[in-house]
Amino acid sequence: MVESQPFKPDSWQRNRQWPEDPQTPDSAGEYLPILFLRDGGLVVVSPIQNWRENRFGFSFWKVKEYRGNLPRTK
């Protein structure tokens, strides 16, 4: 079993008729490609479509595998 922080891509849908309305989460019409790494980790590439902040592109997420006790966070 693997547990991690929630994955929240920065992709939003805007209301073209009412541009001042809040944006809603969107998949950006893309699949999320996943690549398994030799060291047991994996990487995910997700689209960025944030109209309000004028941010567009892709983000790269890397997940590492830990064996045994996980490091504690405060």
Side-chain angles (χ1 to χ4, degrees):
M1 178 174 183
V2 175
E3 185 176 346
S4 70
Q5 296 293 322
F7 176 73
K8 296 182 181 180
D10 189 14
S11 295
W12 302 91
Q13 185 176 42
R14 65 180 175 168
N15 185 334
R16 293 176 191 262
Q17 185 174 2
W18 306 101
E20 297 304 315
D21 278 2
Q23 298 183 111
T24 56
D26 187 48
S27 67
E30 303 285 339
Y31 292 100
L32 298 176
I34 299 172
L35 176 67
F36 293 93
L37 304 174
R38 289 183 186 161
D39 67 359
L42 60 92
V43 293
V44 177
V45 177
S46 67
I48 298 172
Q49 290 186 350
N50 189 327
W51 303 93
R52 289 271 160 90
E53 296 182 22
N54 198 27
R55 289 173 26 93
F56 302 94
F58 293 90
S59 60
F60 180 84
W61 304 74
K62 184 174 180 182
V63 180
K64 291 179 78 173
E65 177 184 36
Y66 287 99
R67 295 184 184 265
N69 294 330
L70 292 174
R72 295 274 179 180
T73 57
K74 294 182 180 183

